[in-house]
Amino acid sequence: MIAFRDFALRRGERLLLSKVDLTMQAGWRVGVIGRNGTGKSSLFAAIQGELESDLGNLDIPNRVRMASVAQETPALDDPALDFVLSGDAQVHAAIMAERAAVEAEDWETVAECHHRLEELNGYDASARAGKLLHGLGFSPDTHERAVKEFSGGWRVRLNLARALMTPSDLLLLDEPTNHLDLDAVLWLEQWLLKYPGTLLLISHDREFLDEVTTHTLHLNDGKAKLYVGNFTAFERQRAEHLRLQQITHEKAQAERAHLQSFIDRFSASAAKAKQAQSRVKRLAKMQDTEAVRAERTLRIEFPAPAKLPHALLRLVDADCGYGEHVVLDQVSLILEAGDRVALLGPNGAGKSTLVKSLVGELDLLTGERGGHPDLRIGYFAQHTVESLRKGATPIDHLMDIAPGVATQQLRDFLGKWNFPGDRAFESVDSFSGGERARLALAMIAWRKPNVLLLDEPTNHLDLDMREALAEALGGFDGAIVLVSHDRHLIGLVCDTFWRVADGVAVPFDGDLDEYASWLRTRDNSADGKVRPGKSAPVEPAPVVPATPAKAAPKINPHKLAKAEARVAELESKLHTLDLDLADPDVYAGGTTNAAELARQRDAVAAELERAEGELLALYDGA
């Protein structure tokens, strides 16, 4: 399928890869891994013909159909479903031609379009596109919503759905899980396992790589080496290779002991024994990989909190939301020292809302938020990274929060967070997303918090930094609330799980593997149809009237159809506004937009109530 022959690739003056000789066969699912800057995305660009090799050859058969995720989505008026359908260009063209022919009442062309769709097996195309949207978290009533109305994160999902819709023999996915919640990641995992073509996947999510890939391509130090097996198999093979290069036994043993402490912390507690099993399973997968882990030079740590009271933070009967819009109803949560809580659930369900309510960034609509006088919160969210000052250096940022501290002390601290030497004096403008996130985490660590509230901290972090973060959080003595789609991080750090969905936040009795099984087996449909094995509710038999019933008044069918359509339209509009209000991106620029959306929702809700009343009146013959 793909063959590299003495292949070399350069970006500017920098040599990324050289002397690459390897072949990838059809049907393989290859995880492409390596530290940031090793050339993963550039390799994809070369495969797609966007970059030419500096030396050697890259051979791909001409007949191979290739699909990848577009980096940008234009502000289109096209409905989401049509946008995804357009991934299959031939089927989409036939469907569009059929629509135009029907409008023009050109029945001969309609027949030709039907024949064309039959040739392309395109009759189920709309259903397949709908399933892709549903799997990636789009509710049915958003399928006809214009692409331009979606926020950035949702447009990324649309691009992914469109790529999956595209008929392909070779699928290139570069960090496909970055904008997905855990539910969507698990769905995508199952979809890719059924994909019949060849898959090349760049990801820093080791659990995702472990579940999906059959081979691993490791880019390191200008070289590319192909391993048989998933990420864990790669670690074991590379560990053996490194042992042959005399990686010290002392380092391996120290690392093993550090990982074992993840389990020891909780296995002594009978109440947490079940959750500890998740960590046991993950440590078992990592056995005999210590040499790879010892090879990693990146080590970070969160200093011990200055004060660590037992009871730290609580919400009691809290309604969480924005303005008058309730996102989560009656939440009660108590955080104590040593608690490690993971919030699970789909995007838009209220995980970020709950975290902001715990931080105090959002006022509670009702209920109580209380904290110990010595409470000190470390809060990480996407806006934390975006708020780094343009033109400022890591030293500048630390000086802002630590005035009067000696520069050398700040440099020593930044060195522990992998900003050594002159790197501490470089402008953040030139930093990658991962480096910015690492600096934001370092600033949190400097303040010595006793509660860490982390909302998707792994976005843009490479595998080494994710491993280092997991180790640092494992040694943290305070309380942690974590939102992440990285199951490896959650599994190593957290022992308690809460599911946030359907307007509530409740404990989930089980570990991550049980959550994944629950997601696969639950009834995901929202169409109200009865599934096999589930009986429909039995309606009570109507009571026969003792006297003859009066003849039902005749209903004007035109008025009835118009009233029903109006109710359906308002219900769809109300649901769309609810989704918008649950999207954290709406609040990034302040509350003005959110307040306007809340006012619109109230107006639509009132209009819907009137429309429903009018419809009932028609049914009653009034």
Side-chain angles (χ1 to χ4, degrees):
M1 168 65 80
I2 304 175
F4 297 88
R5 301 283 180 256
D6 196 26
F7 178 83
L9 189 63
R10 187 183 297 273
R11 262 286 171 91
E13 296 298 317
R14 188 178 171 205
L15 183 64
L16 296 175
L17 295 168
S18 65
K19 297 181 180 179
V20 177
D21 283 283
L22 56 89
T23 301
M24 289 180 276
Q25 300 295 337
W28 285 6
R29 297 192 297 272
V30 183
V32 183
I33 65 170
R35 293 176 179 171
N36 288 339
T38 52
K40 301 186 296 294
S41 295
S42 296
L43 183 67
F44 271 27
I47 292 172
Q48 292 175 277
E50 297 169 2
L51 281 179
E52 290 189 8
S53 64
D54 287 84
L55 189 69
N57 297 309
L58 168 58
D59 297 326
I60 302 174
N62 291 331
R63 67 180 183 277
V64 169
R65 299 172 300 171
M66 203 177 303
S68 63
V69 180
Q71 297 301 307
E72 295 182 0
T73 310
L76 300 172
D77 292 316
D78 299 6
L81 187 67
D82 281 355
F83 178 76
V84 174
L85 261 176
S86 66
D88 191 335
Q90 294 186 61
V91 169
H92 182 251
I95 291 174
M96 293 296 104
E98 181 194 17
R99 289 181 188 174
V102 169
E103 289 180 6
E105 297 185 359
D106 182 354
W107 307 120
E108 185 177 342
T109 302
V110 169
E112 291 174 359
C113 292
H114 283 179
H115 180 65
R116 178 61 175 155
L117 284 171
E118 187 176 0
E119 287 180 336
L120 297 170
N121 293 318
Y123 278 118
D124 66 342
S126 294
R128 285 188 283 120
K131 286 181 180 178
L132 290 172
L133 286 169
H134 180 69
L136 292 173
F138 293 86
S139 59
D141 60 306
T142 63
H143 292 188
E144 296 301 322
R145 189 175 174 187
V147 170
K148 67 182 181 182
E149 295 178 15
F150 290 94
S151 62
W154 287 99
R155 288 196 198 180
V156 172
R157 293 194 189 204
L158 285 174
N159 279 342
L160 175 58
R162 190 172 185 269
L164 300 184
M165 187 70 191
T166 304
S168 63
D169 307 302
L170 174 60
L171 179 60
L172 306 177
L173 297 181
D174 189 347
E175 290 289 356
T177 64
N178 261 3
H179 291 272
L180 302 184
D181 52 59
L182 181 56
D183 295 30
V185 169
L186 292 167
W187 174 87
L188 178 60
E189 193 175 273
Q190 295 302 309
W191 192 95
L192 292 175
L193 288 174
K194 298 173 185 175
Y195 175 66
T198 304
L199 171 68
L200 264 62
L201 168 67
I202 298 173
S203 179
H204 294 305
D205 185 334
R206 61 175 295 148
E207 293 264 336
F208 189 66
L209 289 166
D210 266 353
E211 293 298 326
V212 171
T213 58
T214 60
H215 295 73
T216 301
L217 181 62
H218 182 219
L219 307 188
N220 181 55
D221 197 23
K223 308 297 180 185
K225 183 173 175 60
L226 188 63
Y227 293 81
V228 176
N230 60 16
F231 183 81
T232 297
F234 149 75
E235 279 197 320
R236 287 176 179 151
Q237 293 173 67
R238 182 158 175 79
E240 185 60 31
H241 175 70
L242 292 173
R243 282 194 189 93
L244 296 176
Q245 297 180 3
Q246 302 299 309
I247 292 293
T248 63
H249 180 69
E250 290 78 14
K251 268 190 173 183
Q253 288 300 103
E255 179 63 16
R256 181 73 170 272
H258 190 79
L259 291 171
Q260 184 65 46
S261 70
F262 285 148
I263 291 175
D264 295 340
R265 176 185 295 273
F266 299 109
S267 59
S269 168
K272 296 181 178 179
K274 183 176 181 181
Q275 290 87 346
Q277 292 308 307
S278 176
R279 195 159 298 154
V280 172
K281 285 183 279 189
R282 280 164 174 79
L283 181 58
K285 288 172 67 175
M286 297 162 67
Q287 286 179 354
D288 301 324
T289 66
E290 297 89 345
V292 172
R293 311 172 73 74
E295 178 197 30
R296 295 176 180 136
T297 57
L298 182 57
R299 294 288 187 276
I300 60 175
E301 66 176 18
F302 288 91
K307 294 183 179 180
L308 189 59
H310 178 66
L312 290 162
L313 181 60
R314 71 181 183 277
L315 294 180
V316 180
D317 297 332
D319 283 357
C320 307
Y322 307 88
E324 297 181 0
H325 176 61
V326 178
V327 176
L328 295 174
D329 183 54
Q330 293 294 290
V331 179
S332 292
L333 174 65
I334 298 175
L335 283 180
E336 298 175 346
D339 282 349
R340 275 115 167 84
V341 180
L343 303 183
L344 310 176
N347 278 358
K351 299 188 298 294
S352 295
T353 301
L354 178 54
V355 172
K356 290 176 182 177
S357 299
L358 285 166
V359 173
E361 185 176 300
L362 275 181
D363 292 333
L364 301 181
L365 305 183
T366 63
E368 176 189 351
R369 175 186 182 274
H372 192 277
D374 293 323
L375 173 68
R376 182 173 292 183
I377 291 176
Y379 174 41
F380 180 96
Q382 187 56 41
H383 65 73
T384 312
V385 178
E386 294 168 354
S387 64
L388 294 177
R389 287 192 290 116
K390 290 184 178 179
T393 67
I395 284 286
D396 293 334
H397 282 92
L398 272 192
M399 285 181 170
D400 289 343
I401 60 175
V405 176
T407 302
Q408 188 58 50
Q409 185 178 347
L410 300 179
R411 291 186 67 177
D412 292 344
F413 178 81
L414 287 169
K416 295 178 181 178
W417 283 80
N418 206 33
F419 295 106
D422 293 339
R423 193 71 172 147
F425 294 93
E426 293 182 17
S427 168
V428 298
D429 295 356
S430 63
F431 282 12
S432 67
E435 289 170 323
R436 287 168 173 264
R438 185 164 14 107
L439 176 57
L441 288 167
M443 293 169 65
I444 290 171
W446 175 268
R447 296 183 171 99
K448 297 183 178 180
N450 46 33
V451 173
L452 289 174
L453 303 177
L454 307 176
D455 192 349
E456 293 291 359
T458 62
N459 280 353
H460 308 297
L461 298 185
D462 60 21
L463 276 163
D464 284 7
M465 182 58 192
R466 292 186 186 206
E467 294 286 353
L469 179 60
E471 293 170 15
L473 294 177
F476 180 66
D477 293 325
I480 298 172
V481 175
L482 175 64
V483 177
S484 178
H485 61 264
D486 188 322
R487 282 165 289 169
H488 182 66
L489 178 68
I490 294 174
L492 286 179
V493 172
C494 298
D495 59 87
T496 303
F497 304 95
W498 280 58
R499 183 167 185 269
V500 182
D502 305 318
V504 295
V506 293
F508 180 81
D509 184 21
D511 63 13
L512 277 178
D513 296 326
E514 289 170 303
Y515 180 72
S517 298
W518 176 79
L519 277 179
R520 287 194 292 269
T521 57
R522 69 177 178 153
D523 182 4
N524 282 317
S525 73
D527 58 9
K529 295 179 181 177
V530 179
R531 295 291 180 263
K534 295 185 180 181
S535 58
V538 179
E539 294 290 341
V543 178
V544 179
T547 56
K550 294 180 180 179
K554 292 183 179 181
I555 302 174
N556 185 319
H558 177 70
K559 286 185 178 180
L560 182 62
K562 190 174 180 181
E564 288 176 337
R566 181 60 176 160
V567 168
E569 177 190 354
L570 290 169
E571 285 177 339
S572 177
K573 189 178 293 186
L574 187 66
H575 186 70
T576 299
L577 287 166
D578 283 339
L579 282 177
D580 288 339
L581 283 165
D583 187 348
D585 290 347
V586 171
Y587 308 93
T591 58
T592 305
N593 191 31
E596 176 58 28
L597 284 172
R599 283 194 293 273
Q600 290 179 23
R601 187 195 182 281
D602 291 342
V604 171
E607 195 172 350
L608 175 60
E609 188 175 353
R610 287 193 298 272
E612 287 174 335
E614 292 170 1
L615 180 60
L616 285 172
L618 284 173
Y619 281 133
D620 292 338

